[in-house]
């Protein structure tokens, strides 16, 4: 049986962000003892060393993806002693510049009327954010009160609307690890007394003496 190596990842079509941790993987026959790994960003015209003399049996190497960005990337894994034994990605993959972290509040985003005590979904879209803090304000952002801290950024949070009525309310969602990344409602929304609460208030507050 001839000695051989087969690259299994990246093998074409992947999109790996600069700075991310990715596994280069391969399979090999028992006769291959150690391997070298190289990568190309110009479809194989030139190659850069990733690692040398790795135990082939491991079959995996954790790679911190370097710049520059390119859509014409390849990886090859070769026998340490006999470079003609090896394999290259079947097709090109992409090394991309990661999107900067961002958060956009979708709701409440201005004009909503949420009743005290009701359950409402605070929603947001995000990129590159794992955990968030949520705050609300009833005075247009002059002061803020915490809703939730260090929760997974799932894009939605069920909020029981608090008991402070106001027409000048805002919600903000911030990256827990980087408070400079975040977003606030585009305009004010209203927290109002529900009709049921108003009825009870009127009933018990304005009894005839």
């Amino acid at each position: 049986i001839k000695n051989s190596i087969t690259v299994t990842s990246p093998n074409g079509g992947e999109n790996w962000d600069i700075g991310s941790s990715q596994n280069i993987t391969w399979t090999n026959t028992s006769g291959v003892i150690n391997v070298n790994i190289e990568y190309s960003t110009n479809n194989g015209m030139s190659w850069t060393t990733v690692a040398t003399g790795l135990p082939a049996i491991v079959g995996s190497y954790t790679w911190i993806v370097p710049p520059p960005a390119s859509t014409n990337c390849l990886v090859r894994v070769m026998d340490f002693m006999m470079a003609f034994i090896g394999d290259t990605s079947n097709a090109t993959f992409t090394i991309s510049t990661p999107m900067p972290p961002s958060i956009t509040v979708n709701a409440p985003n201005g004009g909503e009327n949420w009743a005290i005590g009701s359950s409402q979904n605070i929603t947001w879209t995000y990129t590159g954010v794992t955990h968030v803090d949520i705050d609300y304000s009833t005075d247009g952002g002059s002061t803020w009160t915490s809703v939730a801290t260090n929760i997974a950024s799932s894009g939605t949070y069920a909020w029981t609307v608090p008991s402070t009525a106001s027409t000048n309310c805002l919600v903000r969602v911030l990256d827990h690890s980087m408070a400079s990344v975040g977003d606030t409602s585009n305009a004010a929304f209203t927290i109002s007394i529900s009709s049921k609460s108003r009825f009870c208030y009127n009933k018990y507050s304005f009894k005839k003496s």
Side-chain angles (χ1 to χ4, degrees):
I1 300 174
K2 288 185 178 181
N3 290 334
S4 66
I5 298 169
T6 302
V7 172
T8 53
S9 178
N11 208 28
E14 297 87 352
N15 190 332
W16 288 358
D17 282 345
I18 293 171
S20 66
S21 177
Q22 303 289 346
N23 287 329
I24 296 171
T25 61
W26 66 92
T27 59
N28 57 271
T29 57
S30 58
V32 178
I33 307 303
N34 295 291
V35 296
N36 296 336
I37 304 174
E38 298 177 344
Y39 79 102
S40 172
T41 57
N42 54 15
N43 201 22
M45 292 180 63
S46 61
W47 295 89
T48 302
T49 298
V50 174
T52 61
L54 296 174
I57 194 171
V58 174
S60 180
Y61 178 81
T62 301
W63 186 38
I64 305 302
V65 181
S70 171
T71 59
N72 290 306
C73 302
L74 297 168
V75 158
R76 67 183 181 187
V77 181
M78 301 170 296
D79 187 300
F80 179 71
M81 298 298 295
M82 293 177 284
F84 61 88
I85 297 173
D87 188 39
T88 301
S89 308
N90 285 352
T92 58
F93 67 98
T94 296
I95 291 177
S96 59
T97 302
M99 295 290 292
S102 66
I103 297 172
T104 302
V105 172
N106 297 323
N109 207 30
E112 297 87 350
N113 190 330
W114 287 359
I116 290 171
S118 65
S119 180
Q120 304 289 345
N121 286 330
I122 296 171
T123 63
W124 64 96
T125 54
Y126 60 96
T127 299
V129 175
T130 59
H131 289 78
V132 297
D133 300 331
I134 304 175
D135 304 320
Y136 78 99
S137 173
T138 57
D139 56 14
S142 294
T143 60
W144 294 90
T145 301
S146 177
V147 173
T149 303
N150 198 19
I151 61 169
S153 187
S154 63
T156 186
Y157 179 83
W159 184 38
T160 301
V161 180
S163 57
T164 302
S166 172
T167 59
N168 203 20
C169 303
L170 299 168
V171 158
R172 68 183 182 187
V173 181
L174 307 175
D175 186 332
H176 178 70
S177 62
M178 195 186 319
S180 59
V181 175
D183 188 40
T184 302
S185 308
N186 284 352
F189 68 99
T190 296
I191 292 177
S192 63
I193 300 173
S194 67
S195 57
K196 181 178 180 180
S197 298
R198 189 178 295 111
F199 172 78
C200 292
Y201 177 79
N202 291 337
K203 179 178 179 181
Y204 293 106
S205 299
F206 297 97
K207 285 183 177 180
K208 291 182 179 180
S209 57

